[in-house]
Amino acid sequence: MFQTFTATTNPEQGPPRLAALREAMDHAGFDAFIVPRADAHQGEYVPPSDERLAWLTGFTGSAGFAAITQDIAGVFIDGRYRLQVRAQVAEAFTPVHWPETKLGPWLLEHMDDGAIVGFDPWLHSSEEIVTLRKAVGAALELRATSNLVDEVWNDRPAPPNAPARRQEIEFAGEKSGDKRVRMAAILKEAGQSAAVLTLPDSICWLLNIRGRDIPRNPVVLAFAILQADARVQLFAEPSKFEALGPDPNIDIAPMTDFAAALTKLEGPVRVDRKTAPIAVSQILESACIDIAWGDDPCILPKACKNDAEIAGAREAHLRDAAAMVEFLAWFDREAPKGGLTEIDAATALEGFRAGTNTLQDISFETISGAGPNGAIVHYRVTEETNRAIKEGELYLVDSGGQYLDGTTDITRTLVVGTPTDEQIECFTRVLQGMIAISTARFPRSVAGRDIDALARASLWRAGLDYDHGTGHGVGSFLSVHEGPQRISRIADVPFKEGMILSNEPGYYREGAFGIRIENLIVVQKAARLGDDRDHLDFETLTFVPIDHRLIATDMLAPWERDWINSYHAKVRDKVSGRVKGEALAWLEEATKPI
Amino acid sequence: MFQTFTATTNPEQGPPRLAALREAMDHAGFDAFIVPRADAHQGEYVPPSDERLAWLTGFTGSAGFAAITQDIAGVFIDGRYRLQVRAQVAEAFTPVHWPETKLGPWLLEHMDDGAIVGFDPWLHSSEEIVTLRKAVGAALELRATSNLVDEVWNDRPAPPNAPARRQEIEFAGEKSGDKRVRMAAILKEAGQSAAVLTLPDSICWLLNIRGRDIPRNPVVLAFAILQADARVQLFAEPSKFEALGPDPNIDIAPMTDFAAALTKLEGPVRVDRKTAPIAVSQILESACIDIAWGDDPCILPKACKNDAEIAGAREAHLRDAAAMVEFLAWFDREAPKGGLTEIDAATALEGFRAGTNTLQDISFETISGAGPNGAIVHYRVTEETNRAIKEGELYLVDSGGQYLDGTTDITRTLVVGTPTDEQIECFTRVLQGMIAISTARFPRSVAGRDIDALARASLWRAGLDYDHGTGHGVGSFLSVHEGPQRISRIADVPFKEGMILSNEPGYYREGAFGIRIENLIVVQKAARLGDDRDHLDFETLTFVPIDHRLIATDMLAPWERDWINSYHAKVRDKVSGRVKGEALAWLEEATKPI
């Protein structure tokens, strides 16, 4: 099992560690110290050696940070974690509602003029520190330091050191050397001599490698410098990279050599202000090397999957769909008997995925929420919150797998027994949004922001909505959340062929039920139609039945109903050869026309 | 009749005038001179005394400009006017496709280094000239000058001098003094001593006056300075303002005093770089007065209509609806007989509007297009293009009225005889877009860009689209096109209660037919519904039947069909008391449920 359901922290651990940190702060001459959740690579998951926030405070959410002074220890968390933080941290910590309260004003409120605030420059991006400096002005001094938490973290785990493995060309679709030449051309075109790469998925994509350094996200933690002549310097334990084999264009050196290598560059060097640690730009500035601020050059090319990656995604999704169908058939058989819990379901689902014998990892912690727990958007079931799935309740399951040929992410909402009219109406409105995105076709310059409303219009008309984006980018056997593509009110990057996205509208009634329906989709050039304008549309990758017991057929437009029936026919066609027995019988029933 | 259909220019007029202008340029030491269509107030309509572009070139479109050198005379026009310009200008002029070809690069291509380009600083905004300066760099000198066209325009008409009249409080809904205090507070809040107002609709709104200086747009042409103490200096012929009556807080002076008054201000003075002539900022800069660049402070408050303005709009729209119903009944009676022309229809429609005895003007030149002419988005019928409306063709009519209580703008597309399946499908898709906007409900921060796709989704799904925005702002007995509100891919201003907009998706098949359906709508706080989120929605103002012979009922969602039937029931309910006889009988038939 990849996923466990036991708590990894407890509130009692915090106060003595907080006291030790405050002593270290005092000793080093700092009045405050910032403890982010991030590591130097700004990813969603961090290795145990970088779980400083959880170690110090007990809070295990996937986003947040702490600001520690001698008098107050603020734990900044967003709306998702308001309840969780109360259960996880001791009274010595003060939860702060972020982003309503921002760090700068909070520091100004709690500190005297002239106080010194320490931060680890490897754990904060340039943009983050620049924003904070603007907010505190001359009143406080922000000073970079070695990490004070690490000084007092005696039993800190060693950094991960899993071997890298090659992402075969069959799945990657483009040779690493060709990618490097392509990225180098971008740098040359911009008049830049090199780019600093600090995002593990950029580096893994560029070098066609994958790793096991952190859970859920099959990357190697490393830094890299891409030169405008297409050579790469890679910084991480050299022993990790035996699988790469020797390449005269790739120099591998320990991570400890990274800083020194930066000082030897000639400018202008491209640095991404949103993702690179501010330590990088500080080192370059100290060495008087010109910085060219710009996006990590790999981000956009990585987002636009090539034919091999799309073919891999199709196959990974069908394999995953077969596991989902087995799970759904099992669920429909077991749930009505009563007694099934959220953990039982999550465990069974992981078992079906593992049964494909190709599962490398799950792609994120499964969200398995029954009844009111389904309304908690980022719910993670633990032994403490585990709930039986009851008759008449909705059950929401959001999960995915990492396969060599692709990353999946799917949500289905199921009913046990007979749904209420209200559940049916809300489900149908969510489904209408999901169909609107699935069938969307649009001119080439359209971005996520321009179509987000299509997913919400049916809910909006009924005075309903959901407080999250409609879709996020998804990597190719990489991060299940990747940019720059997304579908949301703040998504300004135009869609391009090959971008994989989720399509996941939802509706959440607090204390009652949660609904979300999610397929992955990939942007493609639309077929010739109508006036043959240069349009893009989405190919659906996910083929798993949608619970037809929750659909109000009489609310649908004829074309929406056609879409459901056509979708289910394709599901049956594509997946029936991959399941047997009861699962096959269930599939045939679940995909009948409505 | 307000509208005429005869050509006001002819191609032969151009060459001798061009020769005279070139002589004046040579004499004054200019190698080129720019002739915009705009006057000093940057409106859509200009008085005859400012029709320099039409006088010089013969081109009468509502947008465009000319750039004249000794060797070439470029007439820059956008896609709407490619055909029209060829018919209107002599060979001495070269049509230039704008914005594909921009003025700066064109000047660089056609002029030697160091050449001097003249422009009238009262006819170009600061933004326009700054952009042009960036484009030409140091290669060309841009030099302000008195207007060289005026020097050679011997029979130039006198500037308009129509008397202003009061916009009564019954319609304006807020006393001018209260508006001035409200706007002055905005200036004070921003630390500004005054704002320069150059937009006639801002000035008319602020002072609760209207005028007759230009066609279609009931404004007074004037400049004004609003002081942070709420006093106003108004610049135009004082005799125009007798209707205003004396007000100790308003000083009226001739327009010739405006420049001198600017030099007496103390900064910072707010100037709108997008709309104020660059002469204004040049005068302030010469007098060393600080400029605070910022939007004309009246624009947003003017856009958000108060209760009296909305009540007026409702009444104006019902009066206008009755005239439209009489027209539509007449059309359905006459058109099938054959021989009816586009001009006949436009003339009849204006007659029905005039028959309300409350019509102050039409709100723009009526678009009356039969068959293929309907596919020309900004078609204006003339004696030359006038076309008979034939059996089996679609007829598109986009028109509006100026009434004391409101401005209307409505488009209906009608069929004579039996429509084809293709016409019906396209019409239904346009209607679905129009219904999607009519029924849209959304969170408060949503802007036009966020919902534009709702109007296009049904067309997009069929590979179709339309190449114009979905909606523009509309004034209150003011300009039929006003900002900042609009519905389009580039509309970033969030909707606010009271904004009036058009909702006008369309579809145009070149050489065959055009379809557009347009209602006006007003933003309101949405009724409590669902989760009672803070939502806005639209109240529909226009109540005129939509041609049900063109609707494919089986393409509609149940809620779309409900909307049509509910809309038509309201049309019948609201308008049947305002029409009689054949028109009433027609109305009852036209509003039957589908």
Side-chain angles (χ1 to χ4, degrees), chain A residues 105-440:
Chain A
W106 186 90
L107 287 171
L108 290 171
E109 184 189 336
H110 291 282
M111 308 195 69
D112 295 333
D113 266 22
I116 299 173
V117 180
F119 68 93
D120 178 345
W122 287 99
L123 304 186
H124 301 268
S125 70
S126 299
E127 188 168 88
E128 218 179 317
I129 296 300
V130 166
T131 304
L132 184 57
R133 269 194 220 286
K134 272 190 198 147
V136 302
L140 303 177
E141 185 191 337
L142 288 183
R143 191 188 292 174
T145 172
S146 61
N147 199 296
L148 302 180
V149 170
D150 296 357
E151 278 184 27
V152 298
W153 189 353
N154 295 321
D155 55 348
R156 185 177 168 218
N161 198 19
R165 47 187 172 163
R166 185 172 297 287
Q167 175 73 343
E168 300 297 341
I169 189 72
E170 164 191 5
F171 304 127
E174 183 181 11
K175 285 182 191 163
S176 169
D178 293 342
K179 289 181 181 176
R180 281 176 266 144
V181 167
R182 201 150 64 92
M183 298 307 102
I186 296 174
L187 299 183
K188 266 186 277 189
E189 170 79 25
Q192 296 158 354
S193 70
V196 179
L197 305 181
T198 64
L199 297 178
D201 57 347
S202 286
I203 296 169
C204 288
W205 172 83
L206 183 66
L207 301 181
N208 286 346
I209 55 173
R210 297 295 185 269
R212 293 184 188 278
D213 279 341
I214 52 175
R216 314 306 171 237
N217 196 349
V219 293
V220 183
L221 294 183
F223 294 116
I225 298 169
L226 169 66
Q227 309 277 358
D229 63 3
R231 294 174 55 85
V232 166
Q233 294 168 273
L234 181 60
F235 301 91
E237 269 319 296
S239 64
K240 277 186 177 184
F241 297 105
E242 278 158 16
L244 271 180
D247 183 324
N249 294 310
I250 302 180
D251 296 322
I252 300 173
M255 210 177 263
T256 45
D257 290 3
F258 178 50
L262 289 173
T263 64
K264 289 178 194 127
L265 295 174
E266 285 180 26
V269 175
R270 185 191 291 219
V271 180
D272 190 326
R273 71 167 86 236
K274 295 189 290 293
T275 60
I278 192 166
V280 169
S281 50
Q282 286 175 340
I283 291 166
L284 291 169
E285 279 160 9
S286 302
C288 298
I289 298 164
D290 270 359
I291 295 173
W293 296 110
D295 290 344
D296 174 332
C298 300
I299 289 178
L300 187 59
K302 169 166 63 64
C304 299
K305 277 73 179 173
N306 58 40
D307 290 346
E309 290 171 315
I310 294 171
R314 289 191 193 107
E315 174 59 25
H317 276 81
L318 292 183
R319 204 181 308 120
D320 199 66
M324 278 295 297
V325 165
E326 290 190 88
F327 167 73
L328 294 172
W330 169 87
F331 183 88
D332 261 8
R333 199 167 62 233
E334 296 300 321
K337 297 176 187 168
L340 202 64
T341 69
E342 294 165 340
I343 290 181
D344 295 336
T347 305
L349 176 53
E350 192 179 315
F352 288 115
R353 281 207 168 90
T356 64
N357 293 321
T358 54
L359 185 70
Q360 306 298 309
D361 196 345
I362 55 175
S363 59
F364 57 95
E365 309 292 314
T366 297
I367 299 175
S368 172
N373 283 346
I376 303 170
V377 175
H378 285 81
Y379 178 63
R380 293 292 186 277
V381 53
T382 64
E383 298 288 359
E384 286 71 39
T385 65
N386 191 24
R387 200 172 183 287
I389 303 168
K390 292 182 199 144
E391 175 86 17
E393 282 188 352
L394 299 186
Y395 168 67
L396 185 157
V397 55
D398 186 352
S399 67
Q402 291 285 11
Y403 303 95
L404 293 179
D405 46 2
T407 302
T408 71
D409 183 0
I410 173 173
T411 309
R412 287 295 180 268
T413 302
L414 315 169
V415 64
V416 182
T418 308
T420 65
D421 288 349
E422 188 177 40
Q423 288 167 343
I424 289 174
E425 184 190 330
C426 294
F427 184 93
T428 305
R429 291 187 184 280
V430 171
L431 177 63
Q432 287 177 307
M434 191 265 196
I435 295 173
I437 298 295
S438 301
T439 58

Side-chain angles (χ1 to χ4, degrees), chain B residues 201-337:
Chain B
D201 57 347
S202 285
I203 296 169
C204 288
W205 172 84
L206 182 65
L207 300 180
N208 285 346
I209 56 174
R210 297 293 185 271
R212 293 184 188 278
D213 280 340
I214 52 176
R216 316 304 172 236
N217 195 350
V219 294
V220 183
L221 293 183
F223 295 115
I225 298 169
L226 169 67
Q227 309 277 359
D229 64 1
R231 293 175 55 85
V232 166
Q233 294 168 274
L234 182 60
F235 301 92
E237 267 318 297
S239 64
K240 276 187 177 182
F241 297 103
E242 277 158 16
L244 270 179
D247 182 324
N249 293 310
I250 301 180
D251 296 324
I252 300 173
M255 209 176 263
T256 45
D257 290 4
F258 178 50
L262 288 173
T263 65
K264 290 180 193 126
L265 295 175
E266 287 182 23
V269 175
R270 185 192 292 220
V271 180
D272 190 326
R273 71 167 86 234
K274 294 189 291 292
T275 60
I278 192 167
V280 169
S281 49
Q282 285 175 341
I283 292 165
L284 291 169
E285 278 160 8
S286 302
C288 298
I289 298 163
D290 270 0
I291 295 173
W293 296 110
D295 289 344
D296 173 333
C298 300
I299 288 179
L300 187 60
K302 170 167 62 64
C304 300
K305 277 72 178 175
N306 59 39
D307 290 347
E309 289 171 316
I310 294 171
R314 289 190 193 108
E315 174 59 25
H317 276 81
L318 292 183
R319 203 183 308 118
D320 198 67
M324 277 295 297
V325 165
E326 290 190 89
F327 166 73
L328 294 173
W330 169 87
F331 183 88
D332 261 7
R333 200 166 62 233
E334 296 300 321
K337 296 177 189 167

Side-chain angles (χ1 to χ4, degrees), chain B residues 82-218:
Chain B
R82 304 257 151 100
L83 294 175
Q84 181 175 330
V85 77
R86 276 168 221 274
Q88 291 191 316
V89 307
E91 277 186 20
F93 296 92
T94 307
V96 182
H97 288 190
W98 180 87
E100 294 83 350
T101 300
K102 293 198 165 59
L103 178 57
W106 187 90
L107 288 171
L108 289 173
E109 184 189 336
H110 291 283
M111 306 194 70
D112 295 330
D113 267 22
I116 300 173
V117 180
F119 67 93
D120 178 343
W122 287 99
L123 303 186
H124 300 268
S125 69
S126 299
E127 188 168 88
E128 217 178 317
I129 296 299
V130 166
T131 303
L132 185 56
R133 267 195 220 286
K134 272 190 200 146
V136 301
L140 303 177
E141 184 190 339
L142 289 184
R143 190 189 292 174
T145 172
S146 61
N147 199 296
L148 302 180
V149 170
D150 295 358
E151 278 184 28
V152 297
W153 188 354
N154 295 320
D155 55 347
R156 185 177 169 218
N161 199 19
R165 46 184 170 164
R166 184 172 298 286
Q167 175 75 340
E168 299 298 341
I169 188 72
E170 166 192 4
F171 304 127
E174 182 180 11
K175 286 181 189 164
S176 168
D178 294 341
K179 288 181 182 176
R180 283 176 264 144
V181 167
R182 200 150 64 91
M183 297 308 102
I186 294 174
L187 300 182
K188 265 186 279 190
E189 170 80 23
Q192 296 158 354
S193 70
V196 179
L197 306 181
T198 65
L199 297 177
D201 57 347
S202 285
I203 296 169
C204 288
W205 172 84
L206 182 65
L207 300 180
N208 285 346
I209 56 174
R210 297 293 185 271
R212 293 184 188 278
D213 280 340
I214 52 176
R216 316 304 172 236
N217 195 350

